[in-house]
């Protein structure tokens, strides 16, 4: 009897296993073919999909942790290599902008959807940010306060795992990085509508820091209110003067009789709503999140293509990434045709200039320097040859840095 029962039990298990296999196969087929009809009900179909999502989530979870462990191994190798050099003051470089640019470009190149290339790269940006924080926490200074577009640029470039520190002025950002209190800094350099940020260019005239990266940030303005704001009783709209100018037409149509108050930054505009029930602010997404505000209207800027370019400043020189820019500052002789002399070598060597700006050469009176951006890396033969040809024609040339072009 015992043997017969055992045989029956084993037969039952095999039958149940076969049923489960068939069920799983049917489930797989239902999901792959997007066919709820292959199972008994819509709810069963949803449960099957959710089970597969849970399974994929487990795989993603394990792979992220595996990547994090590999990043920790990289940190050990870098620390060992730095200490083996015999220089007690040597510090390993953990952040490699050219490497990160290559990784993000590869992510976008191999992406097959349905997630867009940019959104997929942003996901990887945050994974890389967390992994880098395991190697060494990154302290990033930026032109504050919290909630500004420079804050948004810092988060876009370094990810949310970075330790971002708001400072009052662009000069303060340069000083913080020079002193080593912050590893890197983020400063605005030009806006597609408003032009160049002179304070940033002037900072390079008195600093030895290099440009190690760039960020391009589309500027989208939001009309923000707090939970306690009485929208029907608005009497003030706060924002930076440039943001008020960028939304002038929208404000004329929608809030023509409400006072517009210019403040030091969009972040400050958002902060003020905490204690005022009759005010609104114009600022970006980061300000809305930072100060827990509601976006009553989104993307209210008059020019939807408005973009600001930011520079990442640091100490090190950056190897080529494959798609780079080089920035130089040139002190020219005071003579006719000086600028043409500077530009001719660029043309002769096939180097494409992307921008040129002029600033006073302090403390000299009526003397000027030229800030020039060009495509290519200083290690590229044509770029190095062009700069070599410029040197004997001018008083001085300083290479501000070669760095990866903005990816996101």
């Amino acid at each position: 009897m015992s043997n017969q029962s055992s045989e029956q039990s084993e037969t039952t298990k095999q039958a149940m296993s076969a049923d489960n296999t068939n069920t799983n196969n049917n489930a797989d087929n239902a999901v792959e073919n997007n066919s709820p009809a292959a199972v008994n009900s819509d709810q069963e179909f949803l449960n099957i999909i959710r089970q597969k999502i849970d399974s994929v989530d487990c795989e993603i979870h394990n792979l992220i942790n595996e990547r994090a462990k590999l990043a920790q191994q990289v940190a050990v190798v870098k620390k060992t290599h730095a200490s083996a050099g015999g220089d007690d003051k040597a510090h390993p470089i953990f952040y490699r902008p050219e490497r990160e640019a290559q990784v993000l470009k590869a992510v976008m190149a191999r992406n097959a959807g349905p997630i867009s290339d940019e959104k997929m790269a942003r996901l990887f940006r945050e994974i890389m940010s967390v992994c880098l924080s395991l190697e060494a926490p990154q302290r990033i200074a930026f032109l504050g306060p919290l909630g500004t577009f420079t804050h948004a640029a810092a988060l876009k470039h370094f990810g949310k795992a970075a330790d971002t520190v708001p400072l009052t002025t662009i000069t303060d950002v340069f000083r913080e990085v020079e002193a080593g209190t912050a590893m890197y800094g983020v400063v605005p350099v030009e806006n597609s509508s408003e032009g160049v940020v002179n304070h940033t260019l002037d900072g390079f005239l008195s600093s030895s820091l290099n440009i190690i990266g760039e960020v391009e940030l589309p500027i989208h303005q939001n009309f923000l209110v707090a939970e306690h704001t009485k929208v029907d009783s608005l009497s003030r709209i706060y924002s930076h003067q440039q943001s008020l100018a960028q939304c002038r037409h929208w404000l004329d149509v929608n809030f023509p009789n409400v006072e517009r108050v210019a403040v030091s930054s969009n972040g400050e505009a958002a902060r003020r709503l905490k204690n005022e029930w009759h005010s609104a602010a114009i600022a970006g997404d980061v300000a809305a999140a930072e100060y827990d505000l509601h976006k009553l209207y989104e993307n209210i800027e008059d020019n939807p293509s408005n973009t600001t370019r930011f520079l990442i400043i640091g100490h090190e020189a950056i190897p080529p990434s494959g798609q780079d820019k080089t920035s130089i500052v040139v002190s020219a002789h005071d003579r006719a045709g000086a600028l043409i002399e500077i530009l001719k070598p660029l043309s002769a060597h096939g180097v494409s200039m992307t921008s040129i700006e002029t600033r006073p050469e302090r403390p000299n009176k009526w003397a000027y320097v030229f800030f020039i951006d060009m495509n290519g890396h200083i290690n590229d033969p044509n770029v190095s040859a062009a700069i070599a040809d410029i040197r004997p024609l001018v008083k001085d040339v300083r290479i501000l840095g070669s760095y990866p072009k903005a990816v996101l």
Side-chain angles (χ1 to χ4, degrees):
M1 291 289 294
S2 176
N3 290 339
Q4 185 178 1
S5 298
S6 176
E7 290 174 359
Q8 291 175 343
S9 176
E10 185 62 31
T11 300
T12 301
K13 287 181 180 180
Q14 290 175 356
M16 291 177 63
S17 177
D19 288 343
N20 288 335
T21 300
N22 290 333
T23 299
N24 288 335
N25 289 337
N26 290 336
D28 288 340
N29 292 333
V31 173
E32 289 176 5
N33 297 324
N34 193 26
S35 176
V39 293
N40 294 330
S41 67
D42 288 346
Q43 185 59 50
E44 184 178 351
F45 185 62
L46 285 175
N47 289 339
I48 292 168
I49 294 175
R50 287 167 180 157
Q51 289 172 10
K52 293 187 79 68
I53 288 174
D54 290 343
S55 176
V56 171
D57 285 347
C58 287
E59 292 181 44
I60 293 172
H61 194 160
N62 291 333
L63 288 172
I64 290 175
N65 275 324
E66 182 63 27
R67 192 190 196 283
K69 291 174 184 177
L70 292 172
Q72 289 176 319
Q73 292 178 27
V74 169
V76 171
V77 172
K78 288 183 177 180
K79 290 175 182 178
T80 302
H81 180 74
S83 60
D87 185 356
D88 294 337
K89 296 182 180 180
H91 298 287
I93 298 173
F94 295 99
Y95 172 60
R96 296 290 300 273
E98 81 287 356
R99 167 64 178 160
E100 293 204 352
Q102 291 166 347
V103 171
L104 292 175
K105 283 184 285 190
V107 167
M108 298 172 77
R110 68 171 177 258
N111 184 47
I115 298 174
S116 70
D117 291 351
E118 182 175 349
K119 288 181 179 179
M120 181 62 76
R122 286 181 181 275
L123 286 172
F124 270 80
R125 164 70 279 168
E126 293 304 326
I127 293 172
M128 293 160 66
S129 177
V130 171
C131 291
L132 182 59
S133 71
L134 291 176
E135 292 186 51
Q138 303 294 297
R139 192 169 193 267
I140 313 299
F142 69 93
L143 177 63
L146 296 172
T148 61
F149 284 111
T150 313
H151 186 194
L155 295 176
K156 181 178 181 180
H157 191 79
F158 289 98
K160 295 179 181 178
D163 177 18
T164 51
V165 182
L167 297 176
T168 305
T169 68
I170 289 172
T171 301
D172 290 339
V173 176
F174 273 86
R175 289 175 178 168
E176 196 85 349
V177 179
E178 286 171 342
T181 311
M183 296 174 177
Y184 304 102
V186 183
V187 290
V189 68
E190 63 178 324
N191 176 266
S192 60
S193 299
E194 305 295 331
V196 71
V197 180
N198 290 326
H199 290 305
T200 294
L201 297 185
D202 292 343
F204 288 107
L205 298 179
S206 57
S207 173
S208 61
L209 292 176
N210 294 326
I211 303 172
I212 68 163
E214 68 171 2
V215 186
E216 291 184 357
L217 187 72
I219 303 300
H220 296 303
Q221 307 282 4
N222 303 310
F223 193 85
L224 306 178
V225 295
E227 185 177 354
H228 55 266
T229 301
K230 296 182 179 180
V231 178
D232 294 337
S233 303
L234 288 179
S235 61
R236 292 178 185 170
I237 299 172
Y238 293 114
S239 195
H240 188 273
Q241 61 181 10
Q242 286 189 358
S243 294
L244 290 172
Q246 291 165 7
C247 303
R248 183 183 296 112
H249 177 71
W250 188 91
L251 290 170
D252 289 344
V253 172
N254 293 276
F255 293 94
N257 300 317
V258 178
E259 180 186 11
R260 303 167 195 180
V261 181
V263 294
S264 59
S265 71
N266 291 344
E268 171 61 17
R271 187 194 65 80
R272 290 192 177 201
L273 301 194
K274 181 179 181 180
N275 300 316
E276 298 185 17
W277 57 266
H278 55 82
S279 301
I282 295 175
D285 291 343
V286 171
E290 188 69 37
Y291 297 100
D292 194 24
L293 300 176
H294 170 63
K295 291 187 282 187
L296 190 61
Y297 302 101
E298 298 184 46
N299 301 337
I300 66 171
E301 64 279 356
D302 298 334
N303 177 11
S305 63
N306 186 31
T307 301
T308 297
R309 179 173 171 245
F310 300 83
L311 297 179
I312 313 301
I313 55 176
H315 293 276
E316 57 266 23
I318 306 303
S321 72
Q323 289 183 293
D324 302 287
K325 281 184 181 177
T326 295
S327 297
I328 63 174
V329 58
V330 180
S331 176
H333 293 292
D334 184 12
R335 65 188 182 206
L339 179 56
I340 295 176
E341 289 181 341
I342 294 170
L343 299 181
K344 278 184 176 179
L346 298 179
S347 176
H349 291 282
V351 177
S352 176
M353 183 182 68
T354 59
S355 71
I356 182 169
E357 299 291 342
T358 306
R359 293 296 297 153
E361 184 180 15
R362 299 172 182 170
N364 301 323
K365 186 185 293 186
W366 312 124
Y368 297 89
V369 296
F370 299 102
F371 287 85
I372 300 174
D373 292 344
M374 64 193 78
N375 286 328
H377 193 278
I378 188 59
N379 289 358
D380 296 343
N382 64 328
V383 174
S384 60
I387 294 175
D389 287 353
I390 291 173
R391 289 191 184 277
L393 305 174
V394 299
K395 291 188 290 185
D396 185 52
V397 177
R398 180 190 158 202
I399 298 170
L400 299 178
S402 290
Y403 47 93
K405 292 182 179 180
V407 177
L408 294 177

